[in-house]
Amino acid sequence: MSTTTRRTFTISALALLAACGRPQKPTKFEHYSGTPITQVSINKGQRRMHLLSGSAVVKSYDISLGNQPVGHKQFSGDGKTPEGVYYVDRFNPRSAYHLSVGISYPNANDRAFAESQGKDPGGDIFIHGRGPDGNNLFPRQRDWTAGCIAVSDEEIQEIYAMLMPGVPVVVYP
């Protein structure tokens, strides 16, 4: 073996070994290859969220709600979490709350009611992680969001991977 070939081989081998020992940058994006999620069911009174495939519960989570959790969200700033049937309508990979999945609040009925009262129905309701703000408040303050549904940062990574646009989100009192 020539000196040049040996040197090239040695440098290549050392570079490969160095790359193997380098820690991988962690990612907040997971891959999900399980059964498709066909519905999200949220029970505000029990502070539980279930991801369903058909009628089978695939995964369940403890949740935090808006800082005024009783009753249906009606207006911007009321601190309530909506109740009713909505849909997953967007994904935010740059959320201040780690990751977030948007819910289609307000629907036509929500907008009509708020308009009849001369008020803004609000919006930007998400299922999201805690992020720095929530981690500072939870568990000292169970319900701390402005009307969203919050889970741990690790749990939102899983949920973010499992959901698709258009999945119904049913929120019960």
Side-chain angles (χ1 to χ4, degrees), residues 59-70:
K59 194 79 181 198
S60 296
Y61 304 91
D62 289 326
I63 59 172
S64 295
L65 300 170
N67 57 32
Q68 298 295 318
V70 177

Side-chain angles (χ1 to χ4, degrees), residues 27 46-47 60 111 118 122 128 151 168:
T27 179
Q46 294 177 355
R47 303 297 191 282
S60 296
R111 282 190 292 279
H128 61 66
V151 294

Side-chain angles (χ1 to χ4, degrees), residues 76-158:
S76 178
D78 66 7
K80 296 183 183 301
T81 300
E83 296 171 359
V85 179
Y86 300 94
Y87 298 89
V88 170
D89 67 352
R90 61 203 182 278
F91 293 82
N92 183 0
R94 294 181 182 92
S95 172
Y97 299 99
H98 196 59
L99 290 170
S100 59
V101 177
I103 296 174
S104 62
Y105 176 89
N107 62 26
N109 292 337
D110 298 321
R111 282 190 292 279
F113 178 77
E115 187 177 301
S116 76
Q117 304 298 305
K119 295 190 176 186
D120 176 2
D124 285 337
I125 300 298
F126 289 87
I127 300 168
H128 61 66
R130 292 191 191 121
D133 290 348
N135 283 328
N136 288 334
L137 292 172
F138 186 86
R140 182 174 32 95
Q141 187 174 338
R142 171 87 192 233
D143 295 318
W144 55 271
T145 77
C148 296
I149 298 98
V151 294
S152 74
D153 290 348
E154 294 78 19
E155 291 168 334
I156 193 59
Q157 288 179 195
E158 186 173 68

Side-chain angles (χ1 to χ4, degrees), residues 29-37 51-53 58-59 157-164:
F29 301 104
E30 294 185 11
H31 177 73
Y32 176 71
S33 58
T35 181
I37 302 303
L51 303 187
L52 304 161
S53 183
V58 175
K59 194 79 181 198
Q157 288 179 195
E158 186 173 68
I159 294 163
Y160 192 94
M162 295 172 84
L163 294 179
M164 300 295 292

